[in-house]
Structure formats: C-alpha cells, structure tokens
Amino acid sequence: MSYQLTDEEFYGYQRDGYVVRHRVFDAQEVLALQQGVENAALLADELAQNGHLYYLDGKRFVDVKHMTIQYEPNSNINAIRVIEPAHDLDPALNSLIDDARIVEPIQKLVGTQHIALWTNKINLKRPLEGTAFGWHQDSPYWIHDSKHVDQLPNVYLALDDADKDNGCFKIVKQSHRQGCLPGKDDGSQLGGFYTDPNSFDESLQIKFEISAGSLVFFNPHLVHGSDANHSDQPRRAFIITYQPANYPMLKSGDIRNIVS
C-alpha cells in the first residue's frame, strides 16, 4: 500500500504550508503511543533529577545530555511541558520514526527518498495546566544549525482528540511564503523565538480540531502555536522533523537515517 501524497495534497502543502490526514492511526495504535509518551515523561522526569537546571524568563529547563526538558511555568506544579528529543525514551516512539504512513509523505516533502531524523518532541498539554505556545516559526531556531532549513518538514501526530477547549494546534495559512520572519524584540530571553505579530496576518489562522491519530504535515517556515488547555482532557502530541539522509540530528549530532 502506498502512503505517498497525492498531487492535490502536495500542491496544497506548497500553497498553504500544510496538509492534514485524518485518523491515520487507529484507536489501538494511539493507545500504545499514549502509553509510550507517558513512559517517556516519567523517565525524563527521573533523569532530570541529575540534569543541568536553568531558567529562561523564569521558566524552568533541564538539560540531560542532548535532551532538553521544559516544565510548565507555574511554580506550584511539577508538570513537564516539552521533551526534545524523546524518541530514545520509549521503543514505540522510536519505531514511529520509521513508520511508512509518515515517512512516505515526508519523502515527497523533503524531495528525496533518502531521509534522516532532524529532531522530535513530545508536547504534554495537561488538563487545566497546559500553557499556550505563542506564534512562532521553527526555521529561525534551526537556521544556525542547518544548511538545508527549507528541507526540514514537520509532522504533528495528535495523540488525543483536539479542540479549542484543550488548546488544539493552530497555524497561520500561507505564512511560510516569506521564509524566516523577524522575532519579537521585547527584551526577554526567549522573545526572539516568537514571531513578530506585525510580520504576518493572524486573521488567516486555522485551528485544527482533529481526532487522535490524525497527522498534520507542515512547513518549517509556517507560523504556528496553540492556546492553553482549559479543559479536563489532555492534548498530547508527538512532532517529528525530518531532513535529507546522512546529516546529523539537531541536538545529539548523531545520524539517524530512516529505514524504509
């Protein structure tokens, strides 16, 4: 069975910066991946006890070798917000990197059949605790470490049913067309990683109210983010970014070519 993008999907991605495939993974697969994410979170929190702790804009980060763990900014909780990369923390997540349902569309977007892993991360948007992710692009963060930033497509796997209440993933349609946009200049440590709101049209935003097991492929220049989780339901996701083969990963420097 072929999972390649259709011409319509590919042209839509080029035009709008994204393409969605609904319910690619079934309920049983999603359940196994949810467990993999929870196992990874537990292990990451345990490893963090001996990691390098630091704060940026008052937000807690811990580095453990090549892995960065971000915690929710509320000092009253000990909830992990993001783990990057996370594939080494659980076999199910590691296997997902090579899944044909993801790899075949990505090969088209990278422009070659021979691809490798660039990075990946878990977003743990916990019920009533998961904070928002401001509007940002990935490319300005990566451009200093990659000479082929245009060939770093992302795929977002929804691991829970997502809606506006639990902080679903959102993008600004066609915002990828201008390449790297300027960051905020607000004097904060992290401000430059968030896109200057005057550089794009927020009225073109699309919120993805999608089912668990769905995929969103999106361009590294696409402005994206999410709102806070105000619901009693989680909104977990696993995001994978690929690149041409034989190049090192973002954080570890290791080469993880894809087996297809």
Side-chain angles (χ1 to χ4, degrees), residues 195-230:
T195 308
D196 182 346
N198 297 312
S199 65
F200 63 93
D201 185 355
E202 191 173 352
S203 70
L204 296 176
Q205 71 174 282
I206 297 173
K207 295 187 176 183
F208 292 110
E209 297 189 275
I210 54 179
S211 300
S214 299
L215 298 174
V216 182
F217 298 88
F218 65 101
N219 188 283
H221 297 298
L222 194 72
V223 176
H224 60 284
S226 65
D227 296 322
N229 187 350
H230 297 295

Side-chain angles (χ1 to χ4, degrees), residues 56 61 161:
L56 297 173
F61 295 75
D161 293 342

Side-chain angles (χ1 to χ4, degrees), residues 3-6 9-25 96-97 99-110 115 138 152-158 169-174 176 206 208 210 213-224 238-242:
Y3 300 103
Q4 286 284 350
L5 294 178
T6 65
E9 287 176 317
F10 182 62
Y11 295 142
Y13 178 92
Q14 290 181 309
R15 180 186 66 239
D16 298 327
Y18 73 93
V19 64
V20 183
R21 283 188 167 178
H22 295 279
R23 299 182 181 88
V24 175
F25 293 83
L96 186 65
I97 303 295
D99 194 292
R101 289 167 289 183
I102 292 174
V103 169
E104 289 187 18
I106 285 289
Q107 288 170 328
K108 179 74 170 178
L109 299 179
V110 175
I115 61 174
D138 293 323
L152 303 178
N154 302 285
V155 57
Y156 172 103
L157 169 58
F169 182 62
K170 62 182 183 180
I171 61 94
V172 177
K173 184 178 179 180
Q174 299 179 359
H176 66 299
I206 297 173
F208 292 110
I210 54 179
S214 299
L215 298 174
V216 182
F217 298 88
F218 65 101
N219 188 283
H221 297 298
L222 194 72
V223 176
H224 60 284
F238 190 55
I239 301 97
I240 313 169
T241 310
Y242 293 86

Side-chain angles (χ1 to χ4, degrees), residues 65-180:
K65 295 183 180 179
H66 62 270
M67 177 175 64
T68 298
I69 305 163
Q70 301 180 34
Y71 285 84
E72 289 290 355
N74 188 335
S75 60
N76 297 321
I77 62 175
N78 192 44
I80 292 178
R81 187 177 191 235
V82 177
I83 306 168
E84 181 184 5
H87 65 288
D88 286 335
L89 297 175
D90 185 84
L93 301 181
N94 197 20
S95 296
L96 186 65
I97 303 295
D98 300 302
D99 194 292
R101 289 167 289 183
I102 292 174
V103 169
E104 289 187 18
I106 285 289
Q107 288 170 328
K108 179 74 170 178
L109 299 179
V110 175
T112 175
Q113 283 195 311
H114 304 292
I115 61 174
L117 180 64
W118 169 243
T119 191
N120 61 86
K121 59 188 172 184
I122 295 171
N123 283 351
L124 292 166
K125 200 178 281 281
R126 299 302 194 187
L128 303 176
E129 297 176 340
T131 51
F133 286 84
W135 290 120
H136 65 283
Q137 297 174 298
D138 293 323
S139 53
Y141 175 61
W142 294 335
I143 198 166
H144 302 292
D145 296 291
S146 173
K147 296 180 180 179
H148 47 266
V149 71
D150 293 332
Q151 292 178 283
L152 303 178
N154 302 285
V155 57
Y156 172 103
L157 169 58
L159 293 173
D160 297 288
D161 293 342
D163 57 33
K164 295 175 183 177
D165 290 334
N166 67 1
C168 62
F169 182 62
K170 62 182 183 180
I171 61 94
V172 177
K173 184 178 179 180
Q174 299 179 359
S175 57
H176 66 299
R177 295 185 176 186
Q178 300 178 69
C180 290

